[in-house]
Each structure stands twice: as C-alpha cells, then as structure tokens.
C-alpha cells in the first residue's frame, strides 16, 4: 500500500504531517501544541487548560464572536482539549473548506488573549471545575494522579484548582503562551482528501512568519509511588477503587504489548468482565494503559457498592496475580488482534479520528505509521511477550491503592484533601 | 439516484440496504420493536434485563463462548434497550458479514436466558440504579423523561428496585416470545455488499423466527405533564432541565424545528453558548436538543451551574427561545443550515452512521429517505418558517426539573409559566 503520509518542517520549526485519504469527502485539521498540565507551574496550576479556553477569545483579526461564527459558517465540527502533555485544537469540515479551516485555526494560534475576556472566561473554567467535582470518576482520577505522582507536576489536575485559577493573571498566562506556543512546539496535522503540496503551501503562508522561540522542555521523569490513599466523600453513593502500577512509557516498543495486556485483562469480553462484572461484584471494572513520553501506568479499577469494596479489590488482585503467573491463552490475544483490525478499518473512514492516531505517532514514535505497520506491530505480539511484559512490569505486588467514595477505606489509609 | 434497496423478506423482516462500494467495513443494525414502553407497568426494567441476558447463553454456546465467537471475527458489536426498540448493532470486515449475522441470529433465536445470568443482571441493575445517583445529568434525564413522556413511555430503562426484585425468568421468556420475531424486526445494512447477498443471508438465518406478520408496531402515546419539580441533592452545581412538546420526525415542520435547535445550540457561535456562557460566564455546559419517539417530538434545554447562578441561567435560557421569533437573522439561519448539512456530510458519512440513518428512516418513514431529500428541506427553511413555527408551536407548557442544593426562585419559574413542587 502506498505511503499516504507527507512530512514537512517550516523554517521556523513548525512541523507538518498530512495523511491523504482518497476515499473520503471531508478533511480535518488540527494544531497540536507540545504543552499541557505537566508544564504548568505550581502557582499557576491550570494555566494550560485555561489558555486553551482563551485561545478562542480573540486575535488581531477576529473577536471571539467572529472566531466562533467563522467556525459555524463552514459547519465545522470543532473543539479543543488539554491533557497532561499536549493541547489540541481541531476542526473537521467538508473537503472544500479545509483551507478556510486552516486559516481560522492558524489565526487562533496567534491569539491576543484579550484582557477584557479574561475574567469572564475564568468564570467558565471555575464552573468546569465545579462540574468535575460532581463526577465520581473525575474526582477519582484527579486523586489518583495526585497520590501516585505526588511531588511531580503530573500530580496537578488538568483543570487546576479553584485557588490557582481564581488568582491567575492574564500576564502569567501571556508569559506561558509566548514560551510554549512557539512554532518549534507546534505540530500541524491534516487528514482527508487533500493535496499535500497545497496544504504545505498554505501552511507556509499562514504560519511561516511565526517567530521561533527557544524553549527547552523542562520535564522531569516522575516516580510512580506505592501506597494507599483514600478520599471520603459522603455524597457519593458508590465507591471507586484503583490499583496502579508502573508501566512502559509511550515511546517504548512494548507499548502495544501493554495495551493488549490491558485489553485482555479489562476490556470488552475480558477477564474482569467475566470474573468481576458477571459475578455481580461490581457493575464496572476495567484496566487501561496510561502512557506519557517518559512514564506509564497500568491502572486496574472498578466502581461498586461501598460494601462490595473488599470483594472488588480482592478480585482485581486475584486476576492480576493470575495474569502474572500463568501464560494467557492464544485465543485471548487473537481477539485483541481481530478487534484492532476492524477498529482500524472503522477509524480509516473518519479524518478526525486519524488525527488522534497521527498525533500519538508523531509525539511518541517519531513519525506516522501506516495501517499495515500498525497491524504488523500488533500481529507480532506473542503469548510469551505478554508473559515477559508482566515479569518486567509486575502487577502482583501492592502497587498504589486509591479509593474514593462514602467509605474511608481501607481504614488507616492516608486521606486526601 | 438513491441506490437503496428496501423490501420485506419472506421471513417477515423489513430491511434496507445502502450500498457503499468503496468502504472496507460493513455495518448492520437490527431493531426489534420491543422497548421499555411496552413493558408491563409492574415490570419496569424488563426490556433492558432481557437485552442484557440474551447473549449470556444460547442452545449452542455459553455466553463466554458466544462473546469469543464475536471476537474471533473482530466484530465491533453492541446492544441496547431504548424506549421503543431493542437495538443490536454490528460492524465487521466484509468477509465476516455472514458469520456476524449468524451469531446475531443465534442469540436472538436460541437464547436460553440462563437463570444464573439473570440473577447477576438483576443484581447489576440494582447497582446501576445506585450508580445513577452519582450521575447528576443522568438523574435529571430520568426525572424529566418521566414528566415529559409519562410513566409508560418515560420510565427509566433500569426500572426500580421493587420491579427488579420481582422479575423472573418467566417474565423475560414471555417478553421474548411475544415481541422477538422476524415480523417485528427492522434491519439496515450499509457497506460494500451486494443486495442479494444481504437478503439471502438474513432470510437464511431468520426464516421461521416467530410470526412473520407485523404486529405491536403502534407507538405509545406521550403523557406530558407540565410543571416544575426540584430534587434536593448535595452537589457543587445545580442541574437544570427544561422541555416542551415539539413536532415528530415525520411532521412537515420537522426540518424547521431542526434548524431552530441549530440556531440555539448548533455550535459555539449559536445563541445559548454565546448568551449563557460567553457573554455571562454562567456555565461550562449548556445545550438544546430533541428526542423523537414515533408520533411525538420533545425539545430540551439543559445546563449546569453553581447554585447562585441558577436563576439567571434559567431565565436566560428561556429568554433566548422567546426572542428568536423577534430577532433571528438571515446570517444565523444560514449558519444553522450549513451546520446541519456539513455535519451530515462529515461526521454522518461513515458506514456506521449511514446504516443507522437508514434504520431511522425505516422506523419513522417506512422507507429509505435520500439524504438530499432531507437536506433540501433543511436548506429550504426561511425566517418566515421559523417565525410561523414558533407561533404555531409555542413553548407555553413547560416541564422543568432541577437537581441540586436549592430550587429555582419561584418568581422566575412563575414568570415563565411553570409552577413548582419540591422533592
């Protein structure tokens, strides 16, 4: 199959990746900035996310109103999001509108962060923080990161704290923006039925004048902590628990193996589904591999009635023990491979979904992988690889146990704030 | 040129096919006209329990073996019990199409509804009811649906503790025997498949499955109860849900209604986002949408905000609906129309979406409706249509549900024509 990717770097350091998708009628474009919550400073926790909101608020060419109206005029499906290590702005449009979409996104990327909009948008972010506190799983995962990565920037919540967001100034945000949104930190992604040459030409025109800014990453590798932490929140009805272990990072060649292992343990039709959910212990139980460029976690979790907490944790540990000691059956791995094949075929129909894969590949693997390459990597995983993986990254130890809900469980655990 | 195939198989299944020759995946949807609305009143939760238990054992395989068989062909499959239908959806590579249909037929036709699986599913449903208490938006949806549609059509798919407690395998068996048969099924298929191959496959696997005659297809009437109800709950934010009757999917004004919702909530430049969030910073989340059971339409507004901002949020939401007829602009209308058309041509263009859209067409219209026919009606909507719609379908009967630390100010709700009660 012909390689559908085109890579290019502008003189100012901005990288471009384009995927040609001849069979679709739409196209998606996105700017990924290599910055996220882990790049916030402690006194400005939440600045990456708040900045993402402010990027919609005005440029030298457009007011906030003109930005949103221009998106809507082309019927774009657009949005933005912030994670621990990236911020993404995207729009998905009919192929004929891809030029307009790129121009609008590029204009936004040189935001003026209008002073007059700063306090109003702060209210919106504070509402988002309030909303997150009513969501049990959101509370859980913020608490988990806080404890597992204690003392490291990955411990801070992406949204920040009411205090840090409340006290944040526009000057602080401006300084961060200038430093982190330099072209060398930005990746332009385009997927769809587009002409790569034309896209590169447009990118030169739209982004070529952006001034480079030397800003070396100051990310430090986190330590994954062990221990037990519990947060009692009376108003929740359910208890959610997670057991967390160190895992391979996203750059490691074994990342696909870790992901397959997590699926066997806690995906659809998994061991957890049959041994925990279908045993009536908990309505939800799962496992996933969370990875960053320099670290990774294997997270086993479940949500249950408070009185079932012990049974749930016992069951999670029992299954973890089993997968470490006994080799998996070949058909368990075949299932993962078969579903991946269908998943890739489905994903290949939608340009926006391709952007996500491209982002991962560019950020963690140095370049995009074709569908055939991805399938080959998954197909190459053997039963012994899963076994070896769990010998290298065992999940049959105590790990870090986190619990949130109406019970302060286990007794004697450290409590959260 | 539509390219659709639409027919009824000898076994009784009504089916539609949208051929997509360039695609590399096939999607199909099986809708059985057996949703929560036809559950006996003392058996709320029955349709969902049946749907959860159907695949936990067949005459040929255990539940686990059946799941493994789906995974062996890499099927992306799911199922769910809605108000009017129980739906099974499946996407596979084209070479696995026949096997995927065979597996769906196996669980629909030869389920053994194992007692042990049912016992677990009842227990899990009770736990899900508890989990719903930790899902503020899900709770508002449960409460407002009951008020909007009445107990028959509007009750929650999980049922209640007391109805789950008295559910037996015989109840599931009776529901399955009465409702699950080929004459009660609508099937849509999208992808690179020949129509004859599709028809032959479904006929082969569903021939002789119950009564081929259409039956039980009448929609359940809506019982709308206007009024304001507050549900006390310790939360950071107050949840606000508002709804009122609109027009059904087959109504001549359906596209006008669609455009109005897009003007209100189609993008970040739409009215609600602009007026409630961007200009006043009242919320993070705000939206307007519709639901369309057959024979009815319901318009919804929703938002969540900290309690001290709840009254202002509520009045702003309704003000935006009310002033539409006075000041909607051509530019707004054009954006709303473009949004609907472009979303259909981007997000809605995947194989799965095309199959799902066809299933909707068969369900509501009894025929495939070409996208161009629908989009032409959307493009034809004028400001005069919007004004006329708002006059003919005023939001004069409101159903309002709030969930959180405090009720809305009575003066605010009274001014909007909704009287209140608290729970």
């Amino acid at each position: 199959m012909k390689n559908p990717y085109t890579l290019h770097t502008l003189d100012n350091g901005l990288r471009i990746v384009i995927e040609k998708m001849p069979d679709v009628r739409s196209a998606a474009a996105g700017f990924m900035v290599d910055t996220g919550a882990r790049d916030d400073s402690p006194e400005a926790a939440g600045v990456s996310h708040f900045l993402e909101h402010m990027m919609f608020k005005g440029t030298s060419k457009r007011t906030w109103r003109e930005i949103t109206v221009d998106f809507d005029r082309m019927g774009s499906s657009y949005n933005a999001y912030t994670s621990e290590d990236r911020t993404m702005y995207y729009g998905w449009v009919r192929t004929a509108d891809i030029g307009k979409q790129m121009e609008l996104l590029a204009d936004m990327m040189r935001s003026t962060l209008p002073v007059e909009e700063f306090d109003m948008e702060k209210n919106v972010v504070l509402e988002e923080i309030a909303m997150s506190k009513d969501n049990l799983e959101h509370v859980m995962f913020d608490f988990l990161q806080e404890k597992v990565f204690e003392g490291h920037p990955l411990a801070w919540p992406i949204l920040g704290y009411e205090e840090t967001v409340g006290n944040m100034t526009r000057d602080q945000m401006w300084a961060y923006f200038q430093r982190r949104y330099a072209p060398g930190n930005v990746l332009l992604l385009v997927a769809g039925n587009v002409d790569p040459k034309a896209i590169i030409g447009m990118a030169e025109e739209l982004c070529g004048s952006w001034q480079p800014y030397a800003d070396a990453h100051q990310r430090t590798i986190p330590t994954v902590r062990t221990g037990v932490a519990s947060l009692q929140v009376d108003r929740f009805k359910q208890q959610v628990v997670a057991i967390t272990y160190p895992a391979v990072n996203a750059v490691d060649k074994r990342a696909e193996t870790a992901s397959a292992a997590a699926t066997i343990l806690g995906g659809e039709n998994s061991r957890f589904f049959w041994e925990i959910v279908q045993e009536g212990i908990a309505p939800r139980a799962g496992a996933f591999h969370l990875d960053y460029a320099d670290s990774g976690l294997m997270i086993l979790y479940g949500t249950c009635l408070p009185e079932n907490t012990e049974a749930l944790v016992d069951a999670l540990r029992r299954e973890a023990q089993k997968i470490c000691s006994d080799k998996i059956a070949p058909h368990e791995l075949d299932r993962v491979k078969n579903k991946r094949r269908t998943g890739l075929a489905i994903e290949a129909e939608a340009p926006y979904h391709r952007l996500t894969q491209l982002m991962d590949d560019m950020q963690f693997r140095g370049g995009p992988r074709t569908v055939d390459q991805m399938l080959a990597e998954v197909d190459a995983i053997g039963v012994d690889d899963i076994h070896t993986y769990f010998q290298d990254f065992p999940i049959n130890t105590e790990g870090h146990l986190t619990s949130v809900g109406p019970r302060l469980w286990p007794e004697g655990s450290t409590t959260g704030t | 040129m539509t390219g659709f195939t639409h027919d009824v198989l000898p076994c009784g299944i009504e089916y539609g096919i949208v051929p997509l020759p360039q695609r590399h995946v096939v999607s199909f949807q099986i809708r059985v006209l057996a949703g929560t609305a036809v559950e006996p009143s003392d058996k709320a939760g029955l349709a969902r329990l049946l749907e959860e238990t159907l695949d936990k054992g067949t005459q040929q395989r255990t539940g686990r073996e059946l799941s493994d068989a789906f995974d062996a062909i890499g099927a992306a499959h799911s199922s769910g019990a809605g108000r009017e239908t129980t739906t099974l959806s499946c996407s596979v590579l084209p070479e696995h199409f026949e096997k995927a249909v065979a597996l769906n037929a196996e669980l629909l036709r030869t389920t053994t509804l194992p007692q042990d699986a049912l016992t677990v599913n009842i227990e899990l449903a009770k736990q899900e009811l508890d989990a719903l208490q930790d899902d503020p938006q899900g709770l508002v949806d449960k409460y407002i649906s009951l008020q909007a549609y009445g107990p028959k059509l509007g009750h929650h798919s999980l049922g209640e503790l007391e109805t789950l407690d008295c559910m037996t395998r015989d109840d599931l068996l009776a529901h399955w025997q009465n409702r699950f048969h080929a004459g009660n099924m609508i099937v849509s298929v999208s992808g690179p498949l020949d129509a004859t191959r599709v028809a032959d496959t479904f006929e082969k696997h569903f021939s002789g499955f119950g009564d081929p005659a259409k039956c039980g297809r009448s929609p359940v009437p809506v019982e709308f109860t206007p009024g304001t109800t507050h549900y006390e709950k310790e939360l950071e934010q107050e949840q606000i849900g508002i709804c009122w009757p609109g027009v059904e999917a087959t109504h001549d004004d359906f596209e006008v209604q669609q455009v109005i919702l897009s003007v209100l909530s189609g993008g970040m430049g739409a009215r609600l986002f602009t007026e409630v969030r961007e200009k006043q910073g009242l919320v993070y989340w705000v939206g307007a949408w519709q639901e369309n059971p057959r024979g009815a339409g319901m318009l919804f507004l929703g938002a969540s905000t900290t309690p001290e901002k709840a009254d202002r949020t509520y009045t702003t939401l309704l003000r935006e609906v009310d002033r539409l007829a006075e000041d909607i602009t051509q530019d707004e209308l054009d954006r709303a129309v473009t949004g609907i058309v472009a979303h259909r041509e981007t997000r809605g263009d995947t194989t799965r979406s095309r199959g799902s859209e066809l299933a909707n067409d068969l369900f509501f219209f009894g025929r495939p409706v070409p996208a161009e026919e629908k989009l032409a009606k959307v493009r034809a909507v004028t400001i005069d249509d919007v004004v006329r719609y708002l006059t003919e379908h005023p939001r004069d009967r409101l159903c309002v549900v709030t969930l959180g630390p405090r009720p809305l100010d009575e003066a605010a709700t009274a001014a909007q024509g909704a009287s209140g009660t608290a729970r």
Side-chain angles (χ1 to χ4, degrees):
Chain A
M1 182 181 158
K2 193 176 167 234
N3 186 336
Y5 305 110
T6 304
L7 298 172
H8 185 80
T9 303
L10 299 185
D11 290 343
N12 60 14
L14 186 139
R15 291 164 302 144
I16 303 166
V17 58
I18 303 160
E19 178 171 348
K20 171 99 178 151
M21 301 171 70
D23 294 335
V24 301
R25 299 194 301 174
S26 61
F31 281 97
M32 188 204 85
V33 190
D34 193 9
T35 199
R38 67 182 296 178
D39 303 304
D40 296 352
S41 57
E43 67 281 1
V47 67
S48 297
H49 169 259
F50 188 0
L51 172 58
E52 172 230 301
H53 279 237
M54 284 300 295
M55 297 294 283
F56 285 86
K57 304 308 283 189
T59 70
S60 56
K61 281 167 68 178
R62 290 176 171 95
T63 63
W64 66 265
R65 181 78 187 134
E66 288 164 340
I67 289 174
T68 52
V69 163
D70 282 354
F71 269 117
D72 289 350
R73 278 211 176 103
M74 58 187 119
S76 176
S77 297
Y78 60 103
N79 212 330
Y81 58 84
T82 307
S83 72
E84 280 86 357
D85 56 5
R86 64 170 71 142
T87 311
M88 173 70 167
Y89 304 83
Y90 65 89
W92 183 7
V93 292
R94 291 171 289 187
T95 305
D97 288 326
I98 192 64
K100 280 195 276 182
Q101 183 63 98
M102 281 175 58
E103 188 279 324
L104 177 53
L105 286 166
D107 187 32
M108 275 174 62
M109 298 306 287
R110 300 295 97 181
S111 173
T112 52
L113 307 183
V115 181
E116 63 279 12
E117 297 300 331
F118 190 78
D119 286 340
M120 186 63 79
E121 199 56 27
K122 188 182 277 188
N123 287 331
V124 174
V125 175
L126 291 172
E127 286 295 334
E128 190 175 359
I129 292 173
M131 190 164 132
S132 75
K133 290 182 175 176
D134 285 335
N135 182 307
L136 174 60
E137 294 200 350
H138 196 118
V139 173
M140 167 65 177
F141 283 104
D142 274 357
F143 185 58
L144 183 153
Q145 297 259 136
E146 178 189 323
K147 294 299 174 186
V148 170
F149 291 125
E150 194 170 351
H152 187 272
L154 281 171
W156 305 329
I158 292 169
L159 302 182
Y161 303 98
E162 280 155 337
E163 298 75 23
T164 56
V165 172
N167 294 331
M168 204 173 289
T169 65
R170 193 250 176 204
D171 286 347
Q172 276 176 308
M173 183 181 284
W174 182 258
Y176 176 87
F177 173 52
Q178 291 302 304
R179 209 170 64 243
R180 301 298 305 159
Y181 278 57
N185 268 352
V186 177
L187 171 68
L188 167 64
L189 308 111
V190 180
N193 196 358
V194 294
D195 172 10
K197 270 192 191 163
I199 296 291
I200 291 169
M202 274 190 276
E204 289 273 10
E205 198 178 311
L206 295 167
C207 315
S209 63
W210 296 0
Q211 290 304 304
Y213 188 104
D215 176 45
H217 259 311
Q218 294 181 331
R219 290 177 180 171
T220 55
I221 299 173
T223 302
V224 178
R225 301 192 181 274
T226 56
V228 181
S230 176
L231 178 65
Q232 187 175 23
V233 188
D234 290 337
R235 63 199 167 91
F236 288 131
K237 299 286 180 195
Q238 299 258 307
Q239 198 80 16
V240 54
V241 293
I243 314 172
T244 310
Y245 300 93
V248 290
N249 62 41
V251 179
D252 196 297
K253 285 195 181 334
R254 294 166 295 179
E256 285 280 7
T257 309
S259 176
T263 305
I264 290 166
L265 207 51
E268 289 173 16
N269 188 22
S270 63
R271 294 181 174 201
F272 284 180
F273 178 75
W274 289 103
E275 304 301 333
I276 298 176
V277 176
Q278 283 303 308
E279 288 298 318
I281 296 169
R284 279 161 227 162
F288 64 95
H289 175 225
L290 176 67
D291 54 358
Y292 307 109
D294 56 3
S295 60
L297 297 177
M298 182 69 79
I299 301 176
L300 322 180
Y301 71 97
T303 308
C304 64
L305 296 175
E307 59 269 31
N308 287 358
T309 311
E310 287 88 346
L312 171 60
V313 171
D314 286 350
L316 291 170
R317 289 200 186 280
R318 188 173 61 241
E319 292 306 317
Q321 182 75 42
K322 264 197 272 181
I323 206 165
C324 286
S325 54
D326 305 331
K327 285 187 182 177
I328 60 162
H331 72 84
E332 289 183 284
L333 192 54
D334 289 342
R335 285 206 311 254
V336 176
K337 295 176 181 180
N338 294 335
K339 295 198 90 147
R340 181 86 166 123
R341 205 165 275 123
T342 311
L344 285 169
I346 293 171
E347 195 181 272
E349 293 187 333
Y352 167 66
H353 294 143
R354 292 297 308 145
L355 290 192
T356 307
Q357 183 68 55
L358 283 176
M359 251 191 318
D360 280 348
D361 284 354
M362 292 299 290
Q363 196 173 18
F364 302 135
R365 296 178 183 88
R369 293 174 297 168
T370 62
V371 169
D372 289 344
Q373 281 171 320
M374 282 186 274
L375 279 175
E377 283 180 29
V378 178
D379 279 340
I381 301 170
V383 167
D384 288 338
D385 294 319
I386 302 276
H387 193 63
T388 306
Y389 175 82
F390 281 123
Q391 286 177 332
D392 295 342
F393 293 90
I395 59 170
N396 53 2
T397 57
E398 288 301 307
H400 192 285
L401 175 65
T402 320
S403 158
V404 176
R407 281 181 76 185
L408 183 61
W409 184 91
E411 286 171 18
S413 55
T414 60
T415 55
T417 49
Chain B
M1 213 291 276
T2 67
F4 292 110
T5 299
H6 175 221
D7 209 342
V8 177
L9 292 170
C11 68
I13 289 178
E14 179 180 0
Y15 74 102
I17 303 168
V18 51
L20 301 169
Q22 305 299 322
R23 305 300 171 92
H24 303 288
V25 68
V26 178
S27 288
F28 63 88
Q29 204 176 79
I30 300 172
R31 292 194 186 186
V32 186
L33 296 165
T36 58
V38 295
E39 294 168 342
S41 59
D42 58 342
K43 299 290 176 192
L46 175 61
R48 185 181 171 281
L49 271 180
L50 175 61
E51 176 263 312
E52 291 278 335
T53 313
L54 271 176
D55 63 354
K56 297 301 179 295
T58 67
Q59 289 168 10
Q60 295 89 339
R61 284 175 246 251
T62 64
R64 204 161 179 164
E65 287 167 349
L66 187 65
S67 292
D68 288 348
F70 272 111
D71 282 355
I73 55 170
H77 68 116
S78 61
S79 59
R83 295 191 204 289
E84 297 190 279
T85 59
T86 295
T87 301
L88 290 83
S89 304
C90 190
S91 294
V92 285
L93 300 182
E95 59 267 33
H96 298 309
F97 171 69
E98 278 84 0
K99 182 70 181 170
V101 174
L103 289 171
N104 276 280
E106 181 181 327
L107 73 91
L108 282 165
R109 300 187 65 167
T110 72
T111 178
T112 52
L113 301 177
Q115 179 61 56
D116 54 347
L118 173 61
T119 306
V120 167
N121 283 337
I122 291 173
E123 173 56 31
L124 290 173
K126 289 183 189 173
Q127 293 187 32
E128 289 285 4
L129 273 178
D130 236 50
L132 191 59
Q133 295 297 319
D134 291 333
D135 173 10
Q137 284 181 16
L139 262 187
V140 168
D141 181 57
K142 171 180 171 162
Y143 295 141
I144 203 165
S145 295
L146 202 56
Q147 217 168 307
Y149 299 121
K152 188 89 182 133
L153 188 63
H155 71 269
H156 198 272
S157 66
L158 281 169
E160 298 296 340
L161 282 180
E162 48 276 22
T163 60
L164 292 170
D165 269 333
C166 65
M167 206 77 75
T168 67
R169 182 175 178 279
D170 283 347
D171 295 323
L172 267 69
L173 199 58
H175 188 70
W176 174 64
Q177 285 168 341
N178 291 336
R179 302 275 172 185
F180 281 62
H181 52 84
N184 228 10
M185 285 167 51
I186 291 173
V187 168
S188 72
V189 183
S190 52
L193 291 183
D194 169 55
T196 311
R197 179 178 162 199
V198 171
D200 290 350
T201 304
F202 274 95
E203 180 60 25
K204 176 182 165 191
H205 291 289
F206 286 94
S207 174
F209 180 33
D211 187 350
K214 290 183 180 182
C215 67
R217 290 193 166 210
S218 313
V220 174
V222 166
E223 298 169 37
F224 181 78
T225 310
T228 301
T229 314
H230 175 69
Y231 295 83
E232 194 80 22
K233 189 167 176 65
E234 190 189 339
L235 290 171
E236 294 283 329
Q237 285 191 315
E238 193 79 26
Q239 298 283 333
I240 303 171
I242 304 170
C243 78
W244 66 95
V247 301
E248 66 264 36
T250 52
H251 194 283
D252 283 346
D253 277 340
F254 178 74
E255 284 75 17
V256 183
Q257 182 170 284
Q258 216 181 343
V259 169
I260 286 172
L261 285 167
S262 184
V263 170
L264 285 173
S265 185
M268 291 189 200
R271 288 208 172 192
L272 295 186
F273 200 88
T274 301
E275 299 297 329
V276 183
R277 175 169 152 163
E278 301 297 83
K279 286 190 181 171
Q280 299 188 71
L282 293 172
V283 301
Y284 171 68
W285 170 72
V286 61
W289 64 97
Q290 63 179 324
E291 290 180 3
N292 298 97
R294 283 171 304 163
M298 203 64 72
L299 275 63
F300 290 85
L301 304 179
S304 65
T305 183
T306 37
E308 62 276 14
K309 297 178 186 168
D311 291 319
R312 205 162 119 212
T313 302
Y314 174 77
T315 47
T316 307
L317 286 171
L318 288 172
R319 184 195 73 197
E320 289 313 308
V321 176
D322 292 343
R323 74 182 178 96
L324 257 187
E326 295 155 24
D327 61 3
I328 182 172
T329 64
Q330 188 62 45
D331 189 46
E332 262 184 313
L333 185 78
D334 291 344
R335 290 201 310 269
V337 168
T338 303
I340 294 168
V341 174
H343 282 221
R344 168 60 183 72
E345 290 178 4
T346 53
R347 308 163 78 118
D349 199 32
T350 61
T351 302
R352 263 200 291 205
S353 300
R354 295 291 295 277
S356 182
E357 184 180 356
L358 175 58
N360 271 336
D361 291 344
L362 301 183
F363 182 63
F364 288 115
F365 297 94
R367 68 177 177 97
V369 185
E372 257 323 301
E373 184 180 326
K374 282 181 271 200
L375 295 179
K377 285 185 186 171
V378 171
R379 288 191 187 98
V381 174
T382 64
I383 287 180
D384 286 346
D385 291 328
V386 170
V387 173
R388 179 184 50 75
Y389 173 98
L390 292 167
T391 310
E392 290 175 9
H393 309 281
R395 58 121 200 125
D396 53 357
R397 294 181 304 148
L398 282 186
C399 170
V400 180
V401 166
T402 52
L403 175 83
R406 70 169 189 83
L408 293 169
D409 183 47
E410 275 185 32
T413 52
Q416 301 296 341
S419 57
T421 56
R423 296 194 182 175

